[in-house]
Amino acid sequence: MPGPRRLRSDRGQVAVEFVGTVPLILLLVTAVWECVLIGYAFSLAGNAADEAARAGAVKGPGACAAAAGEHISAAWALTVRCEESGDVYRATVSLNIPVLFPGLGFGAIDGTAGAAMERERP
C-alpha cells in the first residue's frame, strides 16, 4: 500500500515553506537596509551642518558651503543654507534620502547646527 502512505508523507514540506518565506525575508532585509540609509543620512546631515557652521563662524559664508560639501558626494543632492543670527553662525544642510526602489520618495533630511562667531565683522 504505498499509495496512501505517500499522500500523507511530509517530504518536500521544508522546501515549500522555504519558498513561501523567502519573499518575506527579502522584504524585511530591504526595510532594514532602508532604515540604515535613513540613519546614515541623519548622521551625514548633522555632521555636515556642524562643519559648515564652524567654518562659517571662523572664515565666512564662502567657507560654510564649501565645508558642508567637503565629505558628501553629489548623489545626496546637498543643499546648504548659511546665515548669521546675532553672535551665532547657523548652517542648515538638507540631503535627499536615497531609496532602493525608483519611484519611492522619502523626502529630505535636514541637519542644523550653530557656532559662536569667531571673526571680526566688517
Side-chain angles (χ1 to χ4, degrees), residues 16-117:
V16 170
E17 289 176 1
F18 177 74
V19 168
T21 58
V22 165
L24 296 174
I25 292 170
L26 291 176
L27 184 64
L28 179 65
V29 167
T30 303
V32 167
W33 183 250
E34 191 61 44
C35 289
V36 167
L37 286 175
I38 291 170
Y40 185 58
F42 268 112
S43 177
L44 276 179
N47 186 49
D50 192 37
E51 287 185 16
R54 279 185 274 152
V58 174
K59 299 177 186 173
C64 176
E70 186 175 350
H71 301 292
I72 298 177
S73 71
W76 290 90
L78 170 78
T79 57
V80 182
R81 190 175 70 238
C82 303
E83 62 189 10
E84 289 184 24
S85 178
D87 290 338
V88 177
Y89 197 88
R90 297 189 187 278
T92 302
V93 172
S94 181
L95 299 175
N96 283 343
I97 300 172
V99 291
L100 293 174
F101 297 105
L104 289 178
F106 293 116
I109 289 181
D110 294 333
T112 307
M117 298 293 285

